[in-house]
Amino acid sequence: MLTTDTVPDQEKAAYWGEAVSRALVPVVVAPRDGKRFDGRIATHSLGYLRVSRMEADAGRVSRTPALIERSPEALVAVGLQVSGTATFIQDGRRAEMGGGDLVCYDTTRPFSFTCPERFALHVFQLPRHVLGVSDSDIRRVTGTAIDTAHGLGAVLRPFLATLADSAPSYPAAVGHRLAGHVVDLFATLITDQARRDPDDGRDHLVLSVRAHIDRKLGDPTLSPESIARAHHISVRYLHRLFEGEGITVSRLIQQRRLEACGRELARRGRVTPTVSAVARRWGFVNPAHFSRAFRAAYGLSPREWRTLHLERGEDEQPTGLTVT
């Protein structure tokens, strides 16, 4: 265990940088300026598997091209975020990490790991050559958050957490056998992630979420949290899915509800429901909020919208709203 507990404050940052570089690979560590810093890291070897448990205050860890040239140790690592948040960047890809998230990286290429708050992290490092997977497969996976709600990621997360906590207690013979199992698991994970068409899986899930929203529009409890539960994914992963959709999940729900209300208010019939009844039917529980949102989207109040289309004698099919 290396800790800054007994190190003078003015020397803590330098000491911590050396400690992390010794435990992992040579890196540049920059604690957040102007803040008191504290960190501790423990490393254990299970055969050729290196297991490190790290806890520290906010800061940034970087593996630079100059450091790689001076210390070209070829390792593949998996990081398990235990607590706090972090942003990991490698190969032009950016992974937003939270508690329970996994990310894979390669020490032969630059990377950065930035934590805006105190965090805890487990790191598992293996010599790259023992994995028996191609460089191209590794490159497809690095810098990408691994889905821990499904598939191998869901199996690997609790196993790695237990392994990190138990590493000091294993005798050498057991450690060597465990390292072999971890090699098989990491190789399978990398191959599986690399062989997937990420866009295909993502698009299928986005379509499923959109269909779920349309089915549940009238449910006032419909929310990102309820959608994530229904699809067995985290809220963070749900938001990540919609980063390329041009709209957030919450705004999509509101947009679809407003479209449904607009269609019903413009529809002619013998029975004309009240504006508040239409709003409730499509999930709006607050009439004042509904009126404000409707006017922002259509430029008219719900009653003005209804009157306009009844006078015209035609139904309206509103689509493509801009929800603000």
Side-chain angles (χ1 to χ4, degrees):
M1 170 71 76
L2 298 175
T3 176
T4 60
D5 285 349
T6 60
V7 177
D9 288 347
Q10 65 273 20
E11 299 175 16
K12 286 182 185 291
Y15 177 88
W16 180 243
E18 293 175 4
V20 174
S21 294
R22 286 169 56 190
L24 304 178
V25 288
V27 290
V28 176
V29 177
R32 190 168 59 183
D33 292 340
K35 300 291 183 179
R36 179 181 176 276
F37 184 80
D38 172 67
R40 56 186 56 85
I41 186 167
T43 299
H44 302 278
S45 293
L46 302 176
Y48 41 67
L49 172 66
R50 198 183 308 166
V51 182
S52 300
R53 295 181 295 162
M54 181 191 322
E55 182 180 356
D57 288 323
R60 177 185 174 89
V61 175
S62 303
R63 176 92 162 139
T64 65
L67 287 174
I68 294 169
E69 185 176 349
R70 290 201 299 267
S71 56
E73 191 173 6
L75 302 172
V76 170
V78 169
L80 169 59
Q81 190 85 13
V82 179
S83 64
T85 61
T87 299
F88 183 87
I89 299 175
Q90 186 171 51
D91 296 331
R93 292 189 289 270
R94 179 188 186 98
E96 300 295 339
M97 308 287 291
D101 285 342
L102 293 171
V103 68
C104 180
Y105 64 95
D106 182 349
T107 65
T108 64
R109 297 196 302 285
F111 64 79
S112 68
F113 184 84
T114 305
C115 300
E117 58 190 355
R118 188 168 181 82
F119 70 95
L121 178 73
H122 295 335
V123 179
F124 307 84
Q125 296 181 126
L126 284 164
R128 187 169 170 172
H129 67 86
V130 304
L131 287 170
V133 296
S134 68
D135 289 348
S136 60
D137 280 355
I138 293 173
R139 282 181 177 271
R140 289 190 184 98
V141 175
T142 51
T144 302
I146 296 165
D147 181 9
T148 55
H150 303 91
L152 186 56
V155 175
L156 200 55
R157 179 178 63 178
F159 169 74
L160 291 178
T162 301
L163 183 63
D165 292 337
S166 307
S169 65
Y170 294 124
V174 175
H176 279 281
R177 291 179 66 85
L178 281 170
H181 291 306
V182 173
V183 166
D184 291 339
L185 287 169
F186 281 12
T188 302
L189 176 71
I190 291 169
T191 302
D192 177 61
Q193 295 286 120
R195 292 291 183 269
R196 290 180 183 182
D197 181 347
D199 290 334
D200 182 61
R202 174 189 171 280
D203 290 347
H204 176 78
L205 191 50
V206 168
L207 289 174
S208 177
V209 168
R210 285 180 174 273
H212 179 86
I213 289 172
D214 286 342
R215 288 195 305 270
K216 299 287 186 177
L217 275 183
D219 182 354
T221 66
L222 180 66
S223 66
E225 290 75 17
S226 69
I227 294 168
R229 284 195 302 271
H231 289 81
H232 307 290
I233 59 177
S234 67
V235 175
R236 184 182 297 107
Y237 186 63
L238 174 64
H239 290 315
R240 194 178 301 155
L241 284 173
F242 274 75
E243 285 177 356
E245 295 297 299
I247 190 171
T248 65
V249 177
S250 296
R251 289 184 182 276
L252 176 61
I253 293 170
Q254 180 168 298
Q255 175 179 299
R256 299 296 290 141
R257 282 174 168 163
L258 289 172
E259 290 173 355
C261 290
R263 284 191 294 269
E264 185 166 352
L265 289 170
R267 190 175 300 132
R268 291 169 294 165
R270 292 184 178 181
V271 179
T272 303
T274 64
V275 169
S276 60
V278 171
R280 284 195 302 271
R281 184 167 16 258
W282 295 108
F284 287 100
V285 296
N286 185 317
H289 171 257
F290 166 64
S291 294
R292 288 195 299 270
F294 195 95
R295 182 180 289 277
Y298 289 99
L300 300 171
S301 72
R303 288 183 175 80
E304 290 169 341
W305 173 267
R306 163 178 276 169
T307 299
L308 174 66
H309 292 287
L310 289 178
E311 289 175 351
R312 288 181 179 176
E314 59 183 22
D315 293 342
E316 178 74 12
Q317 301 295 321
T319 58
L321 301 181
T322 300
V323 180
T324 59

